Amino acid sequence: MPRPLFLAGLGRSGTTALTELFDSHPKVAIGMERYKVLVGLEMNGTLTPEHFTRERFFDFSDGLTNIRPDVHPRWHDFYESLDRKWDHAEYVGDKLTHLRLRPILESLPDARFLCIIRDVRDVADSWDRRARNEDDTAWAATNGARAALLPWNKALRRVGRMRRTHPQRVAVIEYERLFGDPDGAAAAAALQWLGLEKDPLFDAAFAQAHRRYSQSIAGRERTLSDEDTAYLEQGADLELWGRLRRRSL
């Protein structure tokens, strides 16, 4: 049986890019928040082995996600790719942006969690950009820069606690270190942690992700006000941030 794997992180920390990267590997099949309603704030539920049977995973009539193959051609192609390699995958799982990891680990004791972390100022800047975009109806206008602080702290504390109590099950990877390194050392370390061989498809996906990061994200000027920046820097748990960064892959 494939082993459960969850790619987790606070929203706007790089979880989508992380999922796309690891889904490029022939032995990995991770959903794009396939069970977001079940494990999110709405239902506060958990996941079981039954959720990752083929029959259950690809039956979207359960209404547990709005990221469905019938919604957009992108997701149709995405899930078709997962379907083709499902029976040969070594890891199957889901992307998580609500970091209630402990209940999942209790119901899936073999699960592993690769948690991505990102600088609070960059996360808050991304939240703020979306909040100010009137065309972005999927993001609340109240979720601006300052609204990111409490969830950022809470996410780090949950990841830190799980990393401390289950070091063999939880690994941390930093967004900038992962995508900013042209040699892909952190990506290679993550594959090694999972016991997976390097693969040409994965290498190609990483090269594309690194180019995207270098061209569109690295060096991009934040639009945060001085007041918001000061608020974030004063309220962020920077000591824990530093410890997690030092222990990241």
Side-chain angles (χ1 to χ4, degrees):
M1 292 292 294
R3 190 171 189 173
L5 172 64
F6 297 94
L7 306 180
L10 179 65
R12 314 310 298 170
S13 292
T15 54
T16 296
L18 182 69
T19 302
E20 290 175 342
L21 173 60
F22 277 84
D23 267 330
S24 70
H25 197 286
K27 296 296 184 180
V28 178
I30 306 296
M32 191 64 73
E33 295 185 82
R34 169 63 184 87
Y35 294 112
K36 67 183 296 186
V37 175
L38 177 63
V39 300
L41 297 175
E42 296 91 340
M43 293 181 65
N44 206 28
T46 191
L47 296 166
T48 68
E50 189 269 339
H51 287 100
F52 296 98
T53 61
R54 170 187 284 279
E55 295 75 18
R56 182 73 176 81
F57 190 85
F58 293 101
D59 180 6
F60 290 87
S61 64
D62 57 17
L64 293 180
T65 185
N66 61 338
I67 305 174
R68 306 189 312 270
D70 59 315
V71 170
H72 192 281
R74 174 187 180 186
W75 305 122
H76 178 272
D77 296 343
F78 176 86
Y79 278 103
E80 279 226 331
S81 174
L82 298 193
D83 184 50
R84 286 194 297 270
K85 60 181 176 178
W86 191 265
D87 294 333
H88 308 288
E90 293 184 20
Y91 288 96
V92 300
D94 204 7
K95 166 190 161 182
L96 304 174
T97 56
H98 293 282
L99 279 78
R100 295 179 61 257
L101 308 184
R102 189 181 300 278
I104 297 175
L105 191 55
E106 290 173 353
S107 61
L108 295 167
D110 289 338
R112 285 192 169 190
F113 299 85
L114 181 58
C115 302
I116 191 166
I117 60 173
R118 191 179 184 187
D119 188 297
V120 64
R121 294 165 298 180
D122 292 322
V123 173
D125 185 63
S126 183
W127 280 46
D128 202 54
R129 288 173 187 268
R130 292 198 64 176
R132 289 187 285 105
N133 183 356
E134 296 180 356
D135 296 328
D136 191 347
T137 57
W139 193 266
T142 54
N143 282 342
R146 297 194 180 199
L149 179 61
L150 180 61
W152 187 86
N153 279 332
K154 184 181 294 186
L156 254 62
R157 288 165 186 160
R158 287 179 172 176
V159 169
R161 183 166 56 247
M162 291 296 291
R163 176 72 181 82
R164 185 174 63 253
T165 58
H166 298 85
Q168 304 303 316
R169 297 286 182 263
V170 180
V172 178
I173 198 161
E174 184 189 354
Y175 177 85
E176 289 80 7
R177 187 177 299 174
L178 172 61
F179 294 112
D181 177 12
D183 297 326
L191 288 180
Q192 185 177 19
W193 181 71
L194 293 169
L196 294 171
E197 299 288 338
K198 289 196 70 176
D199 181 86
L201 293 174
F202 183 89
D203 291 343
F206 173 79
Q208 181 178 7
H210 171 68
R211 283 195 301 271
R212 186 186 310 124
Y213 173 85
S214 301
Q215 296 170 4
S216 303
I217 298 171
R220 181 171 65 184
E221 185 176 353
R222 300 187 186 107
T223 59
L224 298 173
S225 68
D226 292 341
E227 292 78 9
D228 284 344
T229 300
Y231 176 87
L232 295 166
E233 292 176 347
Q234 290 170 8
D237 191 340
L238 298 180
E239 182 179 350
L240 177 56
W241 164 245
R243 288 203 305 270
L244 288 175
R245 287 186 73 199
R246 289 191 294 273
R247 296 170 184 171
S248 64
L249 296 173

